Amino acid sequence: MFGGIGRLAVRRPWLTILAWIIAAVALGLLAPQLKATTDQAEFLPPHYESVQVSRLQEKAFPQQETPAAVAVFQRSDGGKLTAADKTDLGKVVAGLQDRKLDRIKSVETNPQSVSPNGRIALASIFATVKDPYDVKVSESVKEIRTDVKELLAGTELKAGITGAAATALDSQESAGDTDAMIMQATLILIIVLLLIIFRSPLIAILPVLIIALTFMVATGLISTAAELGGLQADSSITAILIVVLFGVGTDYILFLLFRYRELLREGHDPKPAMSEAVGRVGETIASAAGAVIVAFLALLLSSLGMLRAMGPALAISVAVTLAAALTLVPAVFSLLGRKAFWPSKSWRKQPGHGLAGRVGALTARRPGVVAAVSGGLLAVLAVGAFSFNPAFDSESSLPKDLESVRAGEDLQRGFAAGQTDPTWVLVEAENGARLKQADLDAYRQRLTAAKLGQVTPATISPKGDVAQFGVVLREKPAGDRAIELVSGPLRDAAHHAAPDGTRALVGGTSAVLADIQHATNRDYSLVFPVAGIAIMVILGLLLRSVVAPWYLMLAVGLGFGATLGSTVWLFQDIRGEQGLLFTLPVIVYLFVVAIGTDYNILMAARLREETRRGRSPAEAVREAITRTASTVGAAAFILAGTFGVLLLAKNSMLQQMGFAVAFGILLTAFVMALLLVPAVTTLLGRRAWWPGNRNTPVGEGEDHRDPSPEEPHETVNAGAGSAT
């Protein structure tokens, strides 16, 4: 099948290229813009308590307003606000109100807006829409920041804007800079590495252009699917798409070009060589892509809308990359032929295998020692995973110099951390009955007695059947302590103290994050096993073995623990961060397991091939490592490098993701694929391929060549339908 696909692309190269260009242009013009959101509340299923609170608030208090942003005022010298300062503050608020900005309803302050210590004053900015992430609201907040500076000229005051809309604005602007930086760094990295590997400017540039075209097609399909399916993309999806498409895409192109170069060395003409290269590596690339796609699609089982949206988006991107690797790449390089390698002549020479040969010989002689050392290293690194602390505060990952972050810290110099974002406790009477004021007063006293935060008086709905209390926590609403308080003591107290004939519900930011934490833990126990089983099935079908998939997946699982543990040690223990991105285990698991399986496929399939040639386990492992190390190493460096670019981001959560995935890929390639897997396979011998024809030599229809020691590492992977 793959040979037929290759022949079709090679015979009709211009038609194939034109079809891809038309698809990219059409999707670029017609597809809707990819939307992003940072509102985590929208990602939870409706049965969670925080979601029920949000819906009940909309029903019972339709006129209730929550500030979209908050202006934080203080003296420039940090002292207490004087009477003149408060007068100036009133003039600034009036001036902002007179500006009549788009979708800004009012800017208000009152005597209660001054902190008890007299150092901080607040002005609430209300929008005409409830969505603080509305684009027009963000634009108006940006204008307010400029206007405030003008209005404060000549006063002793300074101000900063924080709150949901301001944070959303800063996140968008920061992400925009990050995306551009990541794209530029990724392109430079790929071009430089390809130039070093092939010593050809054409091969350094063409894969980048091909993947850029693929990126346009993939993002168009993703945004169309999101629009039609009602899905939302997380705010970091663009950065992730860049590294996935360019990283994985370069890997697949690399696999194909290595085999194409080998066939040219053997004297094949360019077009037949490319057709045969697709036929020989097509199953390997398809299997590798299939493992990644299945892993991503497992996210559809997640209860979090954020992960459910990310899964199909990434799966679509990998599927498009696979299609490009099997059609667009052959079409482009079949047109260029041997000129693609110009001006280098090194492609004609057989490569040396010095270091790889020594590693292969060592593993063949001492498989037990190599397995113990490589497996022990991974086990030691995995110990750190037990200290993993999930962080749900997305604001804490933003650069500290952003105005919303600085203003939020200034606010806490005068008010409790939860002043502008209280936790809501709603009491609803059964059967629509009216609530009694005496019961509500007693309920407030019981909540206050719990000493979890300041409890505001009840606000009663027009129908009288719902009452709302605000609990102002001393802790930052998105912090670990606030989440712990709300999910445990506060909810317990609120539920237990509810008057007879009523039910109490707890919502707000802390409650939303507590529910996300619960949903994430549930997802870990479901998504991980399903993805693992699906990948094992793919491995079993490719390798025709029941035994090999088990130890391959166990090795990758050990690599997952080592990756997470190393990330914990670096960011929590060394850099002193409070926690790591709460979805990091899911991301590491999917990327390291799926992509790590890619390199294990190359190694295990080559080991199987050498065994079926009649070589002993020791001879097979020596040959497999010697021939495969260059391919695995080059692919791993490029893929790890593209993810490692995320370390340049200002957002610490993107940095965590970049390090974890890049380091996990390097562990997978150089510790697992080149050491642990060959060593364990050697120890198992031919039992590793049970129930396949372990004692049968290469049969009809497979490659009978017995490669000479000088043959390049990209040799036919007979029997497994794979190539390295």
Side-chain angles (χ1 to χ4, degrees):
M1 180 182 73
F2 295 103
I5 294 174
R7 285 190 294 274
L8 180 62
V10 169
R11 289 173 182 171
R12 300 287 188 273
W14 288 113
L15 183 61
T16 302
I17 296 171
L18 182 61
W20 276 93
I21 293 175
I22 291 174
V25 172
L27 287 169
L29 295 175
L30 302 178
Q33 185 177 2
L34 184 63
K35 299 178 181 179
T37 179
T38 55
D39 188 0
Q40 301 292 349
E42 297 181 10
F43 294 137
L44 282 168
H47 65 271
Y48 280 99
E49 186 172 338
S50 59
V51 179
Q52 295 178 31
V53 168
S54 179
R55 294 184 176 182
L56 185 57
Q57 282 179 317
E58 293 178 0
K59 176 183 176 183
F61 304 98
Q63 303 304 318
Q64 176 177 297
E65 293 183 317
T66 300
V70 177
V72 182
F73 295 87
Q74 59 183 316
R75 283 184 58 85
S76 300
D77 59 10
K80 290 187 177 182
L81 297 171
T82 65
D85 293 332
K86 294 176 183 179
T87 300
D88 290 337
L89 173 61
K91 293 179 181 178
V92 172
V93 171
L96 292 175
Q97 183 67 38
D98 291 340
R99 298 295 169 97
K100 301 186 183 302
L101 297 173
D102 190 13
R103 299 196 182 179
I104 298 298
K105 181 179 180 180
S106 63
V107 182
E108 303 175 6
T109 188
N110 54 61
Q112 288 73 37
S113 299
V114 179
S115 65
N117 63 12
R119 296 179 182 275
I120 303 295
L122 306 179
S124 299
I125 302 170
F126 294 93
T128 58
V129 295
K130 290 188 176 182
D131 181 12
Y133 304 94
D134 181 87
V135 175
K136 296 294 184 182
V137 174
S138 295
E139 292 175 354
S140 293
V141 168
K142 189 172 184 178
E143 292 186 43
I144 288 175
R145 284 177 169 172
T146 302
D147 294 341
V148 165
K149 292 178 181 179
E150 295 177 358
L151 293 169
L152 287 177
T155 72
E156 300 295 327
L157 298 174
K158 63 178 183 178
I161 311 298
T162 187
T167 300
L169 172 63
D170 287 342
S171 297
Q172 292 166 3
E173 292 184 344
S174 176
D177 295 339
T178 298
D179 290 349
M181 178 271 298
I182 290 173
M183 175 68 83
Q184 294 171 6
T186 299
L187 292 178
I188 293 173
L189 178 67
I190 291 176
I191 291 172
V192 170
L193 290 177
L194 287 175
L195 191 59
I196 293 173
I197 293 170
F198 290 97
R199 302 175 188 177
S200 167
L202 280 176
I203 293 184
I205 297 295
L206 283 176
V208 172
L209 297 178
I210 291 170
I211 298 170
L213 190 65
T214 305
F215 179 80
M216 295 173 61
V217 174
T219 51
L221 290 176
I222 290 168
S223 60
T224 302
E227 184 77 14
L228 297 177
L231 300 176
Q232 290 178 308
D234 181 66
S235 57
S236 63
I237 189 65
T238 302
I240 297 174
L241 283 176
I242 291 171
V243 293
V244 168
L245 281 166
F246 280 86
V248 175
T250 305
D251 259 11
Y252 296 163
I253 294 175
L254 204 58
F255 296 161
L256 186 62
L257 289 182
F258 271 134
R259 177 50 59 91
Y260 177 54
R261 185 176 65 179
E262 174 195 346
L263 294 171
L264 290 178
R265 283 171 176 165
E266 295 175 358
H268 292 259
D269 290 332
K271 289 185 180 294
M274 180 55 73
S275 299
E276 188 172 352
V278 176
R280 293 188 179 186
V281 302
E283 186 176 353
T284 298
I285 295 175
S287 298
V292 179
I293 291 171
V294 166
F296 288 153
L297 289 180
L299 291 175
L300 288 171
L301 300 175
S302 171
S303 57
L304 292 175
M306 176 182 62
L307 295 180
R308 288 200 307 273
M310 183 185 295
L314 296 179
I316 290 172
S317 68
V318 175
V320 174
T321 304
L322 171 62
L326 298 180
T327 59
L328 183 58
V329 175
V332 171
F333 281 92
S334 67
L335 287 174
L336 293 172
R338 296 182 179 87
K339 295 178 181 178
F341 298 95
W342 181 88
S344 173
K345 297 181 180 180
S346 61
W347 64 272
R348 299 176 180 175
K349 303 176 183 178
Q350 305 295 348
H353 301 292
L355 179 60
R358 290 192 293 272
V359 172
L362 174 63
T363 306
R365 290 196 311 268
R366 298 284 188 271
V369 173
V370 172
V373 172
S374 57
L377 173 63
L378 296 176
V380 170
L381 293 176
V383 172
F386 293 103
S387 301
F388 171 70
N389 179 43
F392 297 85
D393 183 6
S394 60
E395 295 181 21
S396 65
S397 67
L398 295 174
K400 304 305 179 184
D401 59 345
L402 294 179
E403 182 172 332
S404 60
V405 176
R406 296 199 311 269
E409 294 174 349
D410 292 337
L411 183 149
Q412 295 179 44
R413 294 178 56 240
F415 293 93
Q419 178 70 32
T420 60
D421 191 5
T423 295
W424 301 111
V425 178
L426 270 62
V427 177
E428 182 182 26
E430 296 177 354
N431 302 320
R434 295 188 66 84
L435 296 167
K436 298 178 181 179
Q437 186 63 49
D439 291 341
L440 297 177
D441 292 339
Y443 183 71
R444 183 192 178 200
Q445 291 178 1
R446 289 193 288 271
L447 285 181
T448 302
K451 297 181 179 181
L452 299 172
Q454 179 184 354
V455 183
T456 63
T459 301
I460 303 176
S461 65
K463 293 183 178 180
D465 60 338
V466 179
Q468 175 177 269
F469 299 87
V471 180
V472 179
L473 301 176
R474 290 181 291 274
E475 293 77 14
K476 190 176 181 181
D480 292 345
R481 179 57 181 162
I483 295 172
E484 181 181 346
L485 285 175
V486 170
S487 63
L490 181 53
R491 274 184 170 163
D492 291 343
H495 296 163
H496 180 72
D500 293 339
T502 68
R503 68 164 182 162
L505 300 170
V506 179
T509 297
S510 301
V512 168
L513 295 177
D515 289 341
I516 288 178
Q517 185 177 48
H518 180 273
T520 302
N521 292 335
R522 173 262 181 197
D523 290 346
Y524 288 167
S525 63
L526 179 62
V527 175
F528 285 9
V530 169
I533 292 171
I535 293 173
M536 284 184 66
V537 171
I538 292 175
L539 283 172
L541 293 174
L542 177 69
L543 300 175
R544 283 76 163 174
S545 170
V546 173
V547 177
W550 284 98
Y551 69 82
L552 289 175
M553 287 304 297
L554 287 174
V556 176
L558 189 59
F560 161 74
T563 301
L564 187 59
S566 301
T567 308
V568 168
W569 276 341
L570 175 61
F571 287 92
Q572 287 185 197
D573 298 335
I574 297 177
R575 293 184 54 172
E577 297 189 9
Q578 296 299 313
L580 303 181
L581 175 65
F582 71 94
T583 56
L584 189 63
V586 174
I587 294 171
V588 170
Y589 180 83
L590 293 174
F591 278 99
V592 174
V593 168
I595 298 176
T597 302
D598 185 351
Y599 303 130
N600 284 339
I601 284 174
L602 293 173
M603 177 56 69
R606 185 56 187 259
L607 285 166
R608 182 176 184 270
E609 173 194 345
E610 297 300 337
T611 300
R612 297 191 69 189
R613 290 183 183 278
R615 288 188 170 94
S616 67
E619 292 172 338
V621 73
R622 183 176 60 252
E623 286 296 313
I625 293 177
T626 301
R627 307 292 183 184
T628 309
S630 298
T631 306
V632 170
F637 270 123
I638 289 179
L639 189 57
T642 54
F643 278 99
V645 168
L646 290 173
L647 287 168
L648 301 176
K650 295 181 180 180
N651 187 309
S652 66
M653 290 189 176
L654 286 178
Q655 292 175 358
Q656 294 166 17
M657 185 187 307
F659 171 81
V661 177
F663 190 68
I665 289 169
L666 293 177
L667 283 178
T668 298
F670 294 101
V671 180
M672 277 186 287
L674 294 180
L675 295 176
L676 182 58
V677 169
V680 173
T681 304
T682 304
L683 293 173
L684 289 174
R686 297 184 185 277
R687 293 187 297 272
W689 315 115
W690 185 88
N693 296 325
R694 50 185 177 172
N695 296 316
T696 304
V698 177
E700 183 178 356
E702 295 175 320
D703 194 338
H704 292 263
R705 291 186 303 122
D706 193 358
S708 64
E710 292 77 26
E711 182 180 343
H713 62 274
E714 312 94 322
T715 318
V716 176
N717 193 338
S722 183
T724 57

